[in-house]
Amino acid sequence: MVERSETPLMRLIFLGPPGAGKGTQADQVAGALGVPHISTGDMLRAHVAGQTTLGRQASALMQAGELVPDDLVLAMLMDRIDAEDAAGGFILDGFPRNLPQALALQAKPVGAIDRVVAFIVDEEEVVRRLAGRRSCSHGHIYHVDDRPPLRAGVCDLDGEVVEQRPDDAEEVVRNRLAVYARETEPLIRFYESLGLIIEIKASGPVEHITQQILGAVRL
Ligand code: AP5
């Protein structure tokens, strides 16, 4: 567990390919900074599980590894960052995913971002991680080899079933990586031009990467 400290307002984006460890690190860093971890993937999966209108619109696209249309994601995200618990800052995990989403965020006063953490990890490692990833419906993340739950198939934190995400099937992972390269990776250059990018080598022990991120964002 990472020690929590008082930190001024901090609005962060975690950017990186599927399986880079954004969700794993966002949980740790959010706890340490006392800000909410806002994952558009987790929010959309909750809509799918709840069979809401948005969930029904998003479900097939997510299962195929395609992006959900910007207007749907933007409406959901903007509501979330306007919530009271995000007034002191937040970590965005999985958003923005393309230039229109980044520009829409930038146009909001609450979208003034302090740092963008770019996760650097090679593709082979990402495929290995996603093949072994398991998670519960609340988004708590495990890995069958590297980070198994204490009781097989059961979340340590909430007792929910821990299972494989449907979009972690190998052919879907390949498509998600292609979508990332085409739509999302160009955002690194966009945020570089704004002087906001911090590059983090995202392989090695989880705790070590957390400390690197905390050190870099507090500078
Ligand atoms: P989303 O849920 O955002 O998925 P993603 O970006 O593909 O990222 P992942 O959750 O797969 O990976 P991660 O980087 O968080 O890695 P994790 O920490 O889990 O999006 C899913 C779908 O929703 C999209 O395809 C799209 O359809 C839709 N969507 C979401 N946002 C959208 C948007 N803004 N616009 C449009 N559509 C959107 O780690 C992975 C594994 O590795 C775990 O098993 C973990 O234990 C392990 N691991 C983590 N760190 C390490 C380490 N250091 N060493 C070894 N193993 C590690």
Side-chain angles (χ1 to χ4, degrees):
M1 182 56 77
V2 180
E3 205 176 309
R4 183 167 164 186
S5 69
E6 289 312 312
T7 312
L9 178 69
M10 201 163 286
R11 297 182 180 131
L12 305 177
I13 291 173
F14 282 9
L15 192 64
K22 304 180 297 295
T24 301
Q25 293 300 332
D27 271 346
Q28 301 296 317
V29 174
L33 298 179
V35 297
H37 165 196
I38 299 179
S39 157
T40 44
D42 285 348
M43 293 169 79
L44 288 166
R45 279 183 287 279
H47 277 279
V48 172
Q51 299 184 356
T52 65
T53 306
L54 170 55
R56 282 193 291 274
Q57 289 167 304
S59 176
L61 290 163
M62 293 175 75
Q63 283 203 28
E66 296 294 330
L67 295 185
V68 173
D70 291 344
D71 56 336
L72 302 180
V73 173
L74 283 167
M76 176 185 81
L77 191 272
M78 296 307 180
D79 261 9
R80 180 63 188 90
I81 60 177
D82 278 339
E84 209 179 311
D85 70 331
F90 47 73
I91 297 176
L92 298 183
D93 159 17
F95 183 96
R97 224 49 178 223
N98 56 24
L99 192 58
Q101 291 185 10
L103 294 174
L105 179 65
Q106 208 182 25
K108 294 259 297 180
V110 71
I113 297 299
D114 297 296
R115 297 269 190 279
V116 178
V117 179
F119 286 61
I120 310 300
V121 61
D122 58 57
E123 189 167 323
E124 252 174 63
E125 171 67 1
V126 154
V127 172
R128 186 195 74 81
R129 287 183 187 181
L130 293 181
R133 173 168 59 187
R134 302 291 182 270
S135 51
C136 78
S137 63
H138 293 128
H140 300 128
I141 303 163
Y142 301 89
H143 189 279
V144 285
D145 300 319
D146 303 343
R147 227 177 154 77
L150 296 173
R151 267 200 303 148
V154 180
C155 180
D156 298 344
L157 300 174
D158 56 27
E160 294 269 330
V161 176
V162 166
E163 54 195 357
Q164 187 168 35
R165 267 173 42 181
D167 61 344
D168 280 348
E170 194 181 329
E171 66 282 8
V172 185
V173 167
R174 300 268 172 218
N175 189 42
R176 286 163 61 201
L177 286 166
V179 170
Y180 173 77
R182 190 178 65 237
E183 303 281 340
T184 312
E185 202 172 23
L187 290 181
I188 296 181
R189 280 187 299 281
F190 171 73
Y191 285 117
E192 231 161 27
S193 73
L194 300 176
L196 295 178
I197 284 281
I198 297 168
E199 286 197 349
I200 294 287
K201 200 167 164 290
S203 34
V206 167
E207 296 71 18
H208 174 71
I209 299 167
T210 307
Q211 291 307 331
Q212 272 186 284
I213 296 173
L214 283 171
V217 301
R218 281 174 172 150
L219 284 179

